[in-house]
């Protein structure tokens, strides 16, 4: 690996680390930023960048993590007794919460699920329980995204080092 390739790998990994932080911090795209780092590296370094199979896997992991993020919130609410209205409320609350920084992101699914449950005629306590489930699902999604980011970074790094050592 040349000095330039090492610097490029380090820069790509820095971008990816910021993406990993986005798994738990609001406003930073998690796995999409990791994918952007890999694609940027490939565009600059061409044949010593990540291989096309690895890039395809990174795209698939990114898509999986985004779907998983929404599903964990919904399933968390469902596990704690939410109806379909509560699950929709968790999604709506999560989307609205994005506009209110970290407190909104944490409380949005809880408030959304709870309000939609109560609007659907459920009592206060079961509605709050559904909100707790939505919040726990949100945390599970964050852990899942963090694991996806770590797997993507590892796959990318191993592939780039392998390809760089094979090319030189």
């Amino acid at each position: 690996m040349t000095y330039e390739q090492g610097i490029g790998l380090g820069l790509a990994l820095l971008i990816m680390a910021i993406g990993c932080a986005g798994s738990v911090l609001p406003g930073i795209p998690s796995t999409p930023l990791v994918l952007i780092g890999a694609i940027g590296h490939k565009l600059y370094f061409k044949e010593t960048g990540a291989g096309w199979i690895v890039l395809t896997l990174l795209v698939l992991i990114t898509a999986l993590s985004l779907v998983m993020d929404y599903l964990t919130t919904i399933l968390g609410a469902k596990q704690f007794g939410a109806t379909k209205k509560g699950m929709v409320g968790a999604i709506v609350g999560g989307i609205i919460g994005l506009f209110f920084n970290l407190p909104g992101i944490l409380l949005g699914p809880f408030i959304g699920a709870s309000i939609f449950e109560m609007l659907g005629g459920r009592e206060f306590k079961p509605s709050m329980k559904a909100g707790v489930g939505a919040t726990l699902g949100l945390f599970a999604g964050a852990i899942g995204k963090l694991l996806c980011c770590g797997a993507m970074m590892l796959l990318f790094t191993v592939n780039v080092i392998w390809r760089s050592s094979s090319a030189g």
Side-chain angles (χ1 to χ4, degrees):
M1 179 175 291
T2 67
Y3 177 77
E4 182 183 22
Q5 290 170 331
I7 295 295
L9 178 59
L11 182 59
L13 290 174
L14 176 62
I15 292 168
M16 292 176 176
I18 294 169
C20 282
S23 297
V24 293
L25 297 175
I28 302 172
S30 57
T31 52
L33 194 54
V34 174
L35 179 62
I36 288 168
I39 291 171
H41 186 274
K42 174 67 172 178
L43 291 173
Y44 187 82
F45 288 102
K46 298 182 180 26
E47 68 277 346
T48 58
W52 291 111
I53 293 173
V54 168
L55 286 175
T56 301
L57 288 172
L58 296 181
V59 167
L60 292 173
I61 294 170
T62 299
L64 172 73
S65 78
L66 296 174
V67 169
M68 175 193 61
D69 192 28
Y70 287 105
L71 288 180
T72 55
T73 302
I74 293 169
L75 293 175
K78 186 175 181 177
Q79 283 295 115
F80 279 67
T83 63
K84 289 184 183 190
K85 290 179 184 178
M87 290 182 258
V88 169
I91 292 172
V92 170
I95 292 169
I96 292 171
L98 291 173
F99 298 102
F100 297 97
N101 211 345
L102 187 58
I105 290 171
L106 295 176
L107 294 175
F110 172 79
I111 293 170
S114 299
I115 288 174
F116 274 56
E117 286 290 334
M118 286 190 282
L119 289 174
R122 295 199 63 194
E123 296 292 321
F124 180 79
K125 191 171 182 178
S127 297
M128 293 299 118
K129 187 176 176 187
V132 168
T135 303
L136 292 175
L138 177 76
F139 288 129
I143 291 169
K145 284 190 299 185
L146 191 59
L147 292 172
C148 286
C149 284
M152 291 171 74
M153 286 178 70
L154 181 65
L155 183 61
F156 168 80
T157 303
V158 168
N159 188 248
V160 167
I161 291 171
W162 176 268
R163 290 171 61 85
S164 295
S165 64
S166 299

